Amino acid sequence: MTGNQTEGEEVSELETHFDPAVDLPSDVLVRAIAVAENVDPTSLTPLAYSVDPDALDAVVCRDRGTTVRFPYEGYRVVVSASGTIELFATD
């Protein structure tokens, strides 16, 4: 979880890390949302309704400078090719 905040800076609800050489960002993301919501991952809306999971995995694992942002399950999701997933709650 991000601990330092400056005025006007948004702090993520949850931050998790993955190894782009080993982990699929789409899988890590779904598990992170399930943990944040305290639900089984299979009860979530399919990720494909928000973003193509295969495309997300391909671009994040291929292009190290990439950051992908999209809404999913009431969160603004930020996936970084550096191996970070941040979830920001939306109202």
Side-chain angles (χ1 to χ4, degrees):
M1 183 84 118
T2 305
N4 298 329
Q5 180 180 9
T6 59
E7 188 174 334
E9 181 181 336
E10 190 174 23
V11 175
S12 63
E13 296 288 321
L14 178 76
E15 181 178 290
T16 191
H17 300 274
F18 65 97
D19 181 350
V22 177
D23 302 314
L24 294 175
S26 60
D27 290 342
V28 176
L29 167 62
V30 170
R31 288 193 308 267
I33 295 276
V35 167
E37 294 295 311
N38 196 30
V39 298
D40 187 275
T42 60
S43 70
L44 298 172
T45 303
L47 182 59
Y49 287 15
S50 293
V51 67
D52 181 331
D54 294 330
L56 175 66
D57 295 339
V59 73
V60 169
C61 292
R62 181 187 64 228
D63 299 328
R64 294 291 178 212
T66 300
T67 300
V68 180
R69 295 174 177 86
F70 56 93
Y72 178 60
E73 288 290 329
Y75 292 91
R76 184 171 51 84
V77 176
V78 180
V79 182
S80 171
S82 65
T84 302
I85 296 174
E86 292 180 281
L87 305 177
F88 299 89
T90 59
D91 295 330

